[in-house]
Amino acid sequence: MSSRLQEARDRLNRLGKISLGFYPTPFHKLERISEEYGVNLWIKREDFSGTTLFGGNKIRKLEYLLKDAKDQGCDTVFTYGATQSNHAMETCTAARRCGMRPVLYLGAIVEPKPDDVRANLLLDRILGAEIHILASEGRSTKDTMKANEAIFAAHREQLAKEGHKVYDIPIGGSTPRGAAGFAEAYIELLEQAADKGMTIDYLYTATGSGGTLAGLTAGKILAGDAHATTRGIIVGKKDPSTYGQGVADIANKILELTGNEPSATTDHFELYADYVGPGYEKPYREANDDIRYLARTEGIFTDPVYSGKGFHGMMDQIRKGMVPKGSTVVYLHTGGATALFSEPEIIGDLRDDL
Ligand SMILES: Cc1ncc(COP(=O)(O)O)c(C=O)c1O
């Protein structure tokens, strides 16, 4: 490992984390797609991060967050998301491994049926989380949570009176401390690429609450990697005037936490908002076609909410020539395939054999 990468790792290690996942995550070439499109396409399998069969990109964040929770003497974890949130489910697994009690506040973008509980919501139940479902009334999850802040505060206060200490994790675990997990992932990826004698030209990921992209950006700066272009495929409707700056702000806070100058700007990554489709948790034909395409060429599953839309965005850009022939491209597979077992509104036409 180069001394620059080692130093970056040391700085991140000093933040402190517990071990939840299994790293490094697998990194391998997608031979058949590479041949078809004349690029060297690799995939980094954050879907195999652990801690269960249903890993994903939240586990790296939770390693840093739950260390902080333990250090603060917390016995209860609150988090927030949509009813099929991967982050919420993964937070429950992490909390259970740390002997803490998970409490979830979930916005019902898709209304769950009490007699047919599916996918992550089913896993949350098996994990014994205390689950509160909030009506979304057409709002984004973020706005639903904002509207219910007083309820969360009263609940925390009540638990404090009973002698409990709550650790609060926002949507997606995208605090600077949580997102630092993806600075580490970036360094791990550069090490894996160096071992194979490769230089990465383009790195693609799905981006939602922005922590993954922010962490990758901080990692790129920490590693001094000026070469790879990072491209974030946005999966929910965002305000384009503030979203990129929000990502850069989180990256800068990670840099500050690790004793570095906050030098991240929106020039450190490219954002693409044209692959959201009708909205968050709303599938569309072209993205689902690419979920089928990846499954049928390489035997790999992505999900209709995040990793499938991210993969579709990348494939569309490869097809349109936005990735020059011969480029080395990495897709960061962020997981989420439990959504394949969720409500029909989320799955869309994936049930049909098109
Ligand atoms: C499977 C999956 N991919 C990507 C993301 C987006 O990551 P971030 O919220 O860090 O932008 C999420 C977030 O929930 C996710 O669950």
Side-chain angles (χ1 to χ4, degrees):
M1 192 193 318
S2 82
S3 58
R4 177 90 192 229
L5 292 188
Q6 185 58 55
E7 162 153 16
R9 264 197 186 281
D10 292 346
R11 280 174 184 260
L12 287 162
N13 282 342
R14 284 200 284 275
L15 280 182
K17 62 172 188 174
I18 52 167
S19 169
L20 294 171
F22 304 104
Y23 301 110
T25 50
F27 179 54
H28 62 95
K29 190 168 180 185
L30 300 179
E31 298 282 358
R32 285 159 50 78
I33 301 181
S34 295
E35 199 179 316
E36 187 174 344
Y37 287 96
V39 292
N40 300 309
L41 180 59
W42 288 66
I43 189 161
K44 178 140 174 79
R45 304 294 301 270
E46 292 302 298
D47 54 328
F48 280 161
S49 61
T51 173
T52 65
L53 244 190
F54 317 109
N57 66 331
K58 303 306 171 184
I59 302 299
R60 287 189 194 262
K61 298 178 180 180
L62 289 161
E63 292 196 333
Y64 285 88
L65 292 169
L66 287 211
K67 169 74 166 76
D68 196 31
K70 271 188 155 181
D71 288 350
Q72 291 183 29
C74 298
D75 61 358
T76 307
V77 179
F78 272 32
T79 201
Y80 315 87
T83 44
Q84 286 298 353
S85 163
N86 300 304
H87 160 72
M89 183 276 286
E90 286 161 359
T91 298
C92 295
T93 64
R96 287 307 192 194
R97 272 186 71 181
C98 296
M100 295 179 202
R101 206 167 62 87
V103 176
L104 304 180
Y105 279 97
L106 304 176
I109 293 178
V110 171
E111 202 60 51
K113 293 187 187 62
D115 57 347
D116 185 17
V117 175
R118 293 175 178 217
N120 284 324
L121 198 52
L122 171 64
L123 301 178
D124 298 339
R125 286 253 184 110
I126 293 171
L127 287 156
E130 181 182 319
I131 302 171
H132 303 267
I133 308 262
L134 305 168
S136 99
E137 291 156 357
R139 294 171 297 201
S140 68
T141 306
K142 202 171 162 187
D143 289 343
T144 300
M145 298 307 151
K146 249 191 218 150
N148 285 281
E149 260 164 15
I151 293 175
F152 313 150
H155 192 176
R156 275 184 229 116
E157 212 171 292
Q158 180 58 36
L159 287 173
K161 276 190 200 142
E162 292 165 13
H164 296 288
K165 193 160 182 201
V166 174
Y167 191 77
D168 208 63
I169 303 181
I171 295 174
S174 288
T175 65
R177 186 174 291 276
F182 275 89
E184 196 180 359
Y186 195 91
I187 290 155
E188 182 181 296
L189 174 62
L190 287 187
E191 287 164 3
Q192 287 174 311
D195 276 353
K196 299 194 183 315
M198 300 161 40
T199 303
I200 299 166
D201 297 312
Y202 296 92
L203 170 62
Y204 278 89
T205 185
T207 179
S209 64
T212 302
L213 183 59
L216 296 172
T217 302
K220 178 180 168 71
I221 292 168
L222 283 170
D225 173 34
H227 184 74
T229 299
T230 310
R231 289 182 168 170
I233 306 294
I234 297 177
V235 298
K237 294 226 155 66
K238 305 284 177 197
D239 178 348
S241 66
T242 56
Y243 185 74
Q245 191 53 51
V247 171
D249 289 347
I250 302 172
N252 279 328
K253 288 192 184 121
I254 299 169
L255 292 170
E256 283 175 333
L257 273 178
T258 51
N260 293 275
E261 285 298 309
S263 56
T265 71
T266 52
D267 291 340
H268 280 99
F269 47 83
E270 295 176 8
L271 285 172
Y272 295 90
D274 23 9
Y275 301 102
V276 177
Y280 177 77
E281 279 194 347
K282 295 187 171 43
Y284 61 101
R285 173 68 185 270
E286 292 80 0
N288 278 357
D289 280 345
D290 271 330
I291 291 175
R292 281 183 280 265
Y293 172 68
L294 180 62
R296 292 174 189 189
T297 48
E298 303 281 354
I300 294 174
F301 294 117
T302 47
D303 79 283
V305 184
Y306 292 100
S307 52
K309 285 184 182 173
F311 179 76
H312 167 60
M314 177 185 73
M315 287 311 305
D316 188 60
Q317 296 194 351
I318 290 174
R319 291 180 187 119
K320 284 181 173 151
M322 291 168 68
V323 172
K325 295 261 179 233
S327 300
T328 296
V329 187
V330 175
Y331 185 61
L332 189 83
H333 187 333
T334 48
T338 45
L340 294 172
F341 307 101
S342 65
E343 291 80 3
E345 297 93 310
I346 295 176
I347 298 167
D349 69 12
L350 284 175
R351 288 167 302 166
D352 309 332
D353 181 31
L354 296 168

